[in-house]
Amino acid sequence: MLSLKAQYGLRAIISLAAHHGKGPLQAREIASSQGVPVRYLELLLSQLRRARLVEATRGKNGGYILSRKPNEITVWDIVTAFEGKAILFQPKEAVDAPPQTRVLSFIWRDAEKKVIDYLSSLKISHVLETLKSDKEMYFI
Amino acid sequence: MLSLKAQYGLRAIISLAAHHGKGPLQAREIASSQGVPVRYLELLLSQLRRARLVEATRGKNGGYILSRKPNEITVWDIVTAFEGKAILFQPKEAVDAPPQTRVLSFIWRDAEKKVIDYLSSLKISHVLETLKSDKEMYFI
């Protein structure tokens, strides 16, 4: 399962995507819409910066923007920014697994590949459209 | 990630599948080939019995057999016997997730569905063939 950090990170990216082309968004604006402390959100944003998914802009109206278009960022980009490349099945379990079960690791590897393929195909622009069509959704 | 129990359970099913049509296999035979204590294996087998994947036969040559053909059992059948229906993404995380991230749960649900579809399509007979073609594989 994905960490809460990755989930909030994805949510932050979506807020930025919803605001794309309208100038930078401040950390506190995103934080308040998500109901999380600003410091926590800044932590997520710095992780997203290191992964080159967001950029910080300085000045009076400074804040954060996406460094690519929403249709050029996938959910998998965000997941890997927080969890690394092998999140679902391989972590240390595959290494720790006894040799008798290790021969079956191709199954978990293939299953993981299905997830990665799906998350890599899922663009942020598409997620945004899906959420917009959901009446219960609220936006920043 | 799957529990070690599910991994050993799958391995036990594969041993039984490799022996399918040649009479019952005893718990200690499977246990020794897997290098696990007999009691542990019996625990797994009783769980597999409850899931109606294996049957116990009594008598001098009593032991365990698959209750269906290897091509009528999928990896998903075994996974659910040990983990229930929602193992990979939904467990309690989806329920515990804050409302701000819960709107994104369709992503994890869809990703889980990819895994379930794959594991449901993977027949034990096919896994057995794959393992047989692997030179490093050893069998009971």
Side-chain angles (χ1 to χ4, degrees):
Chain A
M1 182 63 192
L2 287 173
S3 68
L4 219 48
K5 250 169 105 178
Q7 295 188 48
Y8 273 114
L10 175 56
R11 193 70 188 75
I13 288 283
I14 289 166
S15 293
L16 289 170
H19 208 253
H20 189 67
K22 298 174 198 161
L25 210 53
Q26 290 180 346
R28 62 172 172 71
E29 295 177 280
I30 307 173
S32 72
S33 81
Q34 296 194 22
V36 294
V38 180
R39 290 209 171 179
Y40 180 65
L41 202 92
E42 278 170 345
L43 198 83
L44 303 179
L45 287 167
S46 76
Q47 218 156 335
L48 290 167
R49 272 179 74 182
R50 276 199 296 277
R52 297 173 187 278
L53 295 172
V54 309
E55 279 170 28
T57 64
R58 294 181 177 275
K60 194 176 159 237
N61 296 313
Y64 293 87
I65 55 169
L66 293 184
S67 47
R68 302 201 292 266
K69 290 180 197 159
N71 65 0
E72 291 169 353
I73 300 176
T74 71
V75 173
W76 183 239
D77 291 330
I78 292 130
V79 169
T80 52
F82 291 99
E83 319 274 0
K85 291 287 176 195
I87 47 151
L88 300 170
F89 300 96
Q90 294 170 340
K92 58 194 182 93
E93 313 261 352
V95 180
D96 291 348
Q100 292 85 349
T101 65
R102 216 177 291 156
V103 288
L104 297 172
S105 63
F106 79 91
I107 297 174
W108 321 128
R109 225 166 29 231
D110 287 354
E112 178 163 75
K113 194 173 176 317
K114 303 281 172 191
V115 173
I116 294 174
D117 286 350
Y118 168 65
L119 296 180
S120 305
S121 75
L122 203 54
K123 292 171 180 174
I124 294 302
S125 50
H126 175 75
V127 175
L128 193 59
E129 286 311 311
T130 308
L131 294 180
K132 275 180 179 168
S133 66
D134 182 344
K135 293 282 184 287
E136 291 175 59
M137 178 61 196
Y138 54 99
F139 266 98
I140 183 167
Chain B
M1 181 65 193
L2 287 173
S3 67
L4 220 48
K5 250 169 106 178
Q7 294 189 48
Y8 273 115
L10 175 56
R11 194 69 189 76
I13 288 283
I14 289 166
S15 292
L16 289 169
H19 208 253
H20 189 67
K22 300 174 197 162
L25 210 53
Q26 290 180 347
R28 60 173 173 74
E29 295 178 280
I30 307 173
S32 72
S33 81
Q34 296 195 22
V36 294
V38 179
R39 290 210 169 179
Y40 180 64
L41 202 92
E42 278 169 345
L43 199 84
L44 303 180
L45 287 167
S46 76
Q47 219 156 333
L48 290 167
R49 273 179 74 182
R50 276 199 296 278
R52 296 174 188 278
L53 295 172
V54 309
E55 279 170 27
T57 64
R58 292 179 179 279
K60 195 176 158 239
N61 296 315
Y64 292 88
I65 54 170
L66 293 185
S67 48
R68 303 201 291 266
K69 289 180 198 158
N71 66 359
E72 290 169 353
I73 300 176
T74 72
V75 173
W76 183 239
D77 291 329
I78 292 130
V79 169
T80 52
F82 291 99
E83 319 274 0
K85 291 286 176 194
I87 47 151
L88 300 169
F89 300 95
Q90 293 172 340
K92 58 195 181 91
E93 312 262 353
V95 180
D96 291 349
Q100 292 86 347
T101 65
R102 216 178 290 154
V103 287
L104 296 171
S105 64
F106 79 91
I107 297 174
W108 321 129
R109 226 166 29 233
D110 287 355
E112 177 163 77
K113 195 173 175 314
K114 303 282 173 191
V115 173
I116 294 174
D117 286 350
Y118 168 64
L119 297 179
S120 306
S121 74
L122 202 54
K123 293 173 180 173
I124 294 303
S125 50
H126 175 74
V127 176
L128 192 58
E129 286 310 312
T130 307
L131 294 181
K132 274 180 179 167
S133 67
D134 182 345
K135 294 280 182 290
E136 291 175 59
M137 178 62 196
Y138 54 99
F139 265 97
I140 184 166

